[in-house]
Amino acid sequence: GKDEQGNLIKERRNGSGAKVMGLTLEGKSVLTSWLSLQAGATFQRSRYKEAEKWSDDENVPAETRMFRTPDTYGYFTATLTPIKRFTASLSGTYTGSMLVQHLAGYIPLDKAVETPDFFDMNIKLAYEFPLYKELKLEVNGGVQNLFNAYQSDFDQGKNRDSSYIYGPASPRSYFAGVKPFEKTCTCFVKNTYVFPKKDVRVFLKAK
């Protein structure tokens, strides 16, 4: 409805309630002197007690599932140091399928979309070079979103639904960088100098 000045009034009411239940498992292990692993997974169920209307279109069915709440998601990190000064780091996140609102504009009618699941994996390789006494320089490079797990059905044009975004934030990209290690060296009896820590990276994206 509208008020006396013609301003649109929107009314929002609490729903019938919801039930959220689940289980989270996490673990960390140092498997060998050169390999450590950490991982976690969550299994959950998020449902409204009664189906909730989310669209003004009467033809769009109500939903009992909560939006943007996957039933399964998890992560892992692994660090390998097979030789002195060299480190390989692997990390990844898994996001299960979920329900996302897609509002009309680019598409003719509001729609609840079942998204695909995503596995976003990153890899980083680094090597340390000794420079002077305790000062070292790390040279690194790697790939973010190694398998290019990325949304493929973005809206287009002036009527697009700008909120219809899900999954990893960016497609596969490459990076390289250098980073001096922050160390303290005593150059004089009463003077101590600290080398600042800097990290320079160059990103290249590929779709």
Side-chain angles (χ1 to χ4, degrees):
K2 295 184 179 181
D3 61 15
E4 296 178 354
Q5 287 75 37
N7 298 315
L8 183 66
I9 298 176
K10 288 189 175 182
E11 189 177 75
R12 188 171 186 176
R13 299 181 182 180
N14 292 332
S16 59
K19 289 185 178 180
V20 178
M21 61 186 73
L23 173 68
T24 296
L25 303 173
E26 289 188 313
K28 184 176 182 181
S29 176
V30 179
L31 301 177
T32 67
S33 60
W34 52 270
L35 173 61
S36 62
L37 176 66
Q38 181 173 348
T42 297
F43 308 92
Q44 67 177 21
R45 180 181 173 86
S46 305
R47 300 291 187 270
Y48 295 110
K49 292 182 179 179
E50 298 178 6
E52 298 285 338
K53 289 291 294 182
W54 61 275
S55 172
D56 294 332
D57 189 336
E58 295 297 327
N59 297 319
V60 177
E63 296 289 345
T64 57
R65 291 176 59 187
M66 292 186 182
F67 288 103
R68 296 185 179 275
T69 309
D71 289 344
T72 308
Y73 55 92
Y75 76 96
F76 87 94
T77 59
T79 303
L80 299 88
T81 53
I83 60 175
K84 186 178 180 180
R85 300 196 182 100
F86 175 77
T87 302
S89 302
L90 299 173
S91 64
T93 56
Y94 171 79
T95 304
S97 178
M98 59 185 172
L99 207 60
V100 174
Q101 297 172 341
H102 193 179
L103 303 181
Y106 179 71
I107 60 175
L109 299 174
D110 293 345
K111 183 179 180 181
V113 177
E114 183 85 24
T115 70
D117 56 351
F118 290 96
F119 180 60
D120 179 9
M121 183 172 175
N122 310 305
I123 181 171
K124 176 183 176 182
L125 307 177
Y127 192 86
E128 299 175 10
F129 292 93
L131 295 181
Y132 177 74
K133 293 185 178 179
E134 298 299 320
L135 181 63
K136 299 178 181 180
L137 182 72
E138 179 188 285
V139 177
N140 59 66
V143 185
Q144 293 182 336
N145 197 353
L146 182 64
F147 301 126
N148 201 31
Y150 194 58
Q151 182 180 352
S152 60
D153 61 343
F154 288 102
D155 280 4
Q156 300 178 15
K158 64 179 182 179
N159 296 322
R160 67 183 180 275
D161 178 8
S162 59
S163 64
Y164 183 60
I165 298 174
Y166 59 85
S170 61
R172 182 191 297 121
S173 61
Y174 305 86
F175 67 89
V178 293
K179 180 174 66 176
F181 272 61
E182 184 176 310
K183 293 292 182 179
T184 301
C185 69
T186 304
C187 301
F188 301 98
V189 175
K190 295 183 179 181
N191 293 285
T192 302
Y193 295 88
V194 178
F195 293 95
K197 181 179 180 181
K198 295 182 179 179
D199 194 353
V200 181
R201 288 189 177 184
V202 177
F203 285 86
L204 301 173
K205 291 187 177 181
K207 294 184 178 180

